[in-house]
Amino acid sequence: MSKAAILKEMWDFLKVRKRWWLAPIVILLLLLGLLIVFTESSAVAPFIYTLF
């Protein structure tokens, strides 16, 4: 199953079940995940980790 399919399924779940309060939580988790992935091997990593 591709990542796009998982995101589409999550979006369909939110639409059908009217669970709109979950959307900000999901978006925040995705952004934090992207932040970790992009800073893992960069020179910016020590500065990002000091924020947390």
Side-chain angles (χ1 to χ4, degrees):
M1 190 176 236
S2 71
K3 292 180 184 176
I6 293 171
L7 291 176
K8 183 178 179 336
E9 188 174 335
M10 183 66 179
W11 178 253
D12 290 340
F13 170 79
L14 291 175
K15 281 192 329 188
V16 171
R17 303 272 192 235
K18 306 281 193 260
R19 305 287 177 153
W20 295 113
W21 58 271
L22 283 175
I25 298 169
V26 171
I27 292 169
L28 182 69
L29 288 174
L30 287 173
L31 289 175
L32 283 175
L34 286 173
L35 179 70
I36 290 171
V37 167
F38 286 131
T39 60
E40 206 167 49
S41 63
S42 71
V44 184
F47 302 110
I48 296 297
Y49 289 125
T50 60
L51 294 176
F52 297 106

